[in-house]
Amino acid sequence: MQREHWKTRLGFIYAAVGSAVGLANIWKFPYIVGQNGGAAFILVYLFCLMCIGFPVFIAEVLVGRISRRNPFGAMRTLGGGRFWAFSGMSILLTGFLVSSFYSVVAGWVLAYLVKALMGSFSALQSPQDAALAHTEILSSPMQTIFYHFVFMLMSLAVLYGGVRKGIEKGASYMTPLLFLLLLGLLFKGLSLPGASNGLKFLLSPDWSSLSPTAIMIALGHSFFTLSVGQGTMITYGSYLSSKENIPFSSFWIAMADSFVSLFAAIIIFTTAFSAGIEPGAGPALIFHTLPFVFGQIPGGDLVAVFFFLLVLIAALTSQISALEPMIAFFIDEKKFSRKSAVLVTTTAAFLVGIPSALSSNVLSNYTFYGLTFFEAMNFVCTSVMIPIGGFLSVFLLGWFFDIHTALSHLRSGCPKKDFSCDWLKLYFYCSLKYISPILIVLVFLKALELI
Ligand code: PHE
């Protein structure tokens, strides 16, 4: 069977931006910026993105395009031997596990969208009321599983159509809609009275709260937000034509991802400050603080619907990209039809996600080292397996596959003048071979509290 390809360059860019822009941009970025020194943290994050996230992103797309395989097949083909086959398998598993609990959080967002559509936020008297509403969803096993199921079904519907007619087509509607909603909310946020206080908070660098841990958080985040380390970009790269200019597209994908994070932070801080709320809420920011504020501002019901729709679309385009590597594996290696591969993968991800959906209710007392099943999965995937996955791709290209051959593949599709530039070659050479692998090892050791 002929392997599918992206139809257009823009189709790939939409799909990859859709993958990169997700819960990490809208839910996580604003609160880690708030907790770690505002603009100072943003600058460090942008530096990390350049030095670590971006080269790893390019390495993964390249691994996919050279091998034209799913992560397991790609690693086995390019690396040869058992070690690389095993590495490919662990990368594949990471994306799959991430998709199982990502869907649970996206399910909460879906529940919030339903609440917003029913206009429930105007009844909230305080952020504590909103916290209660959040607890009400999380403490009900019926609700967490139901929304997890519906979200997985939505992902299945997109994936079923295939690479072109499912992922590419879906992303070419959803990604522009996401940007439209984002810009609308940005203008609304900026027009609220007191918005300037939010901007001031966000844009005045507080270098004193920038701890070494904050730097490590910035590094780790640059990874997760670009969807690297879990086979997504290897798989998306495997559908890319050899005429594609990888550095150019990757640059715009990383830029778009960073702008969304920045805009999301502006929306959230201007909105929160307009109601006189200090947004120190941490992870609860979008589930507690914002719903309350939406209840207070003019036109808040509609703003709430747009906001949670935005988050849902962002989560959906990321979720399909997390499931696609496993689907590609079943098609490439096990010769499944696309439809069976999609059915098997989404059903398995739904089932594996059930204990995560139950972690906030019936399984809340079952903990490993103080972490619920959901928290343990999140920790193992984001702090352990993703850094390892990203490391493996750069290590493979930089040290095993021969860096010069890798660079010549990277050059295919690039206009000659781009690559005649010596500093660009030097940048890719140094970052793939030395800078990224070393920085990843540092993040990894820090995340595990070994340094
Ligand atoms: N990049 C996504 C985000 O920022 C995360 C993600 C992508 C997770 C793909 C899983 C798979 O939320």
Side-chain angles (χ1 to χ4, degrees):
M1 197 172 47
Q2 181 82 35
R3 211 160 192 280
E4 278 200 275
H5 278 98
W6 304 113
K7 194 166 171 208
T8 63
R9 161 187 281 191
L10 205 59
F12 163 67
I13 295 184
Y14 278 149
V17 169
S19 167
V21 172
L23 294 171
N25 302 65
I26 305 173
W27 167 57
K28 194 164 179 202
F29 186 75
Y31 85 76
I32 53 177
V33 168
Q35 286 174 337
N36 294 292
F41 179 84
I42 296 180
L43 290 178
V44 174
Y45 162 75
L46 291 176
F47 174 79
C48 296
L49 198 76
M50 277 274 297
C51 296
I52 182 170
F54 185 58
V56 176
F57 185 94
I58 290 194
E60 294 202 354
V61 175
L62 199 56
V63 164
R65 190 174 72 175
I66 299 172
S67 65
R68 303 232 168 273
R69 284 274 175 291
N70 64 90
F72 167 76
M75 289 272 160
R76 199 185 47 182
T77 312
L78 301 191
R82 279 207 188 161
F83 171 78
W84 290 106
F86 177 79
S87 304
M89 206 33 116
S90 93
I91 291 178
L92 193 65
L93 206 65
T94 308
F96 173 77
L97 291 178
V98 167
S99 75
S100 76
F101 66 80
Y102 200 78
S103 167
V104 173
V105 183
W108 305 343
V109 175
L110 189 57
Y112 266 71
L113 178 61
V114 172
K115 275 189 185 294
L117 283 168
M118 295 188 315
S120 320
F121 295 144
S122 37
L124 300 172
Q125 300 296 322
S126 66
Q128 286 74 22
D129 278 357
L132 272 181
H134 190 212
T135 313
E136 182 199 306
I137 297 171
L138 262 64
S139 61
S140 152
M142 287 292 286
Q143 291 205 48
T144 50
I145 291 186
F146 173 74
Y147 286 114
H148 165 48
F149 177 75
V150 176
F151 185 72
M152 201 60 93
L153 213 57
M154 292 164 71
S155 319
L156 179 147
V158 179
L159 288 161
Y160 216 62
V163 177
R164 280 191 183 184
K165 293 196 181 128
I167 304 177
E168 186 169 349
K169 199 164 172 205
S172 63
Y173 288 113
M174 288 192 279
T175 307
L177 178 62
L178 184 142
F179 275 87
L180 216 66
L181 287 169
L182 194 75
L183 287 180
L185 288 165
L186 185 70
F187 286 121
K188 175 73 187 171
L190 288 173
S191 69
L192 290 171
S196 57
N197 293 334
L199 278 183
K200 240 183 258 152
F201 172 83
L202 192 63
L203 299 178
S204 45
D206 171 10
W207 294 100
S208 66
S209 24
L210 199 67
S211 60
T213 315
I215 298 172
M216 294 300 170
I217 292 178
L219 274 173
H221 187 70
S222 72
F223 244 81
F224 192 75
T225 187
L226 284 179
S227 307
V228 293
Q230 55 199 349
T232 293
M233 290 305 157
I234 297 182
T235 312
Y236 275 17
S238 76
Y239 302 137
L240 202 58
S241 122
S242 44
K243 294 197 207 88
E244 190 56 59
N245 182 341
I246 295 182
F248 175 85
S249 302
S250 306
F251 175 77
W252 287 110
I253 293 163
M255 286 291 277
D257 182 63
S258 307
F259 271 107
V260 174
S261 295
L262 224 56
F263 287 173
I266 296 178
I267 292 167
I268 289 171
F269 287 116
T270 49
T271 312
F273 271 89
S274 76
I277 291 186
E278 280 279 331
L285 197 56
I286 76 162
F287 292 114
H288 298 181
T289 314
L290 279 194
F292 164 67
V293 179
F294 289 147
Q296 310 299 307
I297 58 178
D301 279 342
L302 198 63
V303 179
V305 171
F306 284 168
F307 180 79
F308 285 105
L309 185 63
L310 166 80
V311 188
L312 188 72
I313 294 174
L316 184 60
T317 47
S318 295
Q319 172 72 354
I320 55 178
S321 76
L323 289 161
E324 182 61 18
M326 188 60 96
I327 294 168
F329 167 79
F330 281 125
I331 298 174
D332 292 344
E333 312 292 330
K334 306 284 171 207
K335 308 295 170 218
F336 279 31
S337 69
R338 170 142 199 119
K339 294 197 165 35
S340 333
V342 171
L343 266 179
V344 170
T345 307
T346 48
T347 309
F350 168 69
L351 294 175
V352 174
I354 289 180
S356 292
L358 296 179
S359 291
S360 55
N361 38 70
V362 284
L363 295 183
S364 61
N365 290 329
Y366 292 88
T367 54
F368 317 88
Y369 294 99
L371 301 176
T372 62
F373 183 84
F374 170 80
E375 290 164 341
M377 282 287 240
N378 187 5
F379 174 77
V380 170
C381 289
T382 48
S383 304
V384 184
M385 291 174 75
I386 287 181
I388 293 180
F391 176 82
L392 287 168
S393 290
V394 276
F395 194 58
L396 174 68
L397 287 190
W399 295 91
F400 270 80
F401 180 68
D402 178 41
I403 181 83
H404 297 287
T405 320
L407 288 180
S408 73
H409 278 281
L410 189 61
R411 196 172 305 154
S412 121
C414 299
K416 272 216 179 67
K417 63 174 175 33
D418 283 11
F419 249 85
S420 55
C421 176
D422 281 339
W423 69 264
L424 203 63
K425 263 184 279 182
L426 193 69
Y427 167 78
F428 285 123
Y429 182 85
C430 293
S431 53
L432 288 181
K433 205 164 166 88
Y434 302 107
I435 304 174
S436 296
I438 293 172
L439 285 178
I440 297 167
V441 171
L442 286 179
V443 182
F444 186 66
L445 295 178
K446 179 69 195 177
L448 294 182
E449 293 174 4
L450 295 174
I451 52 171

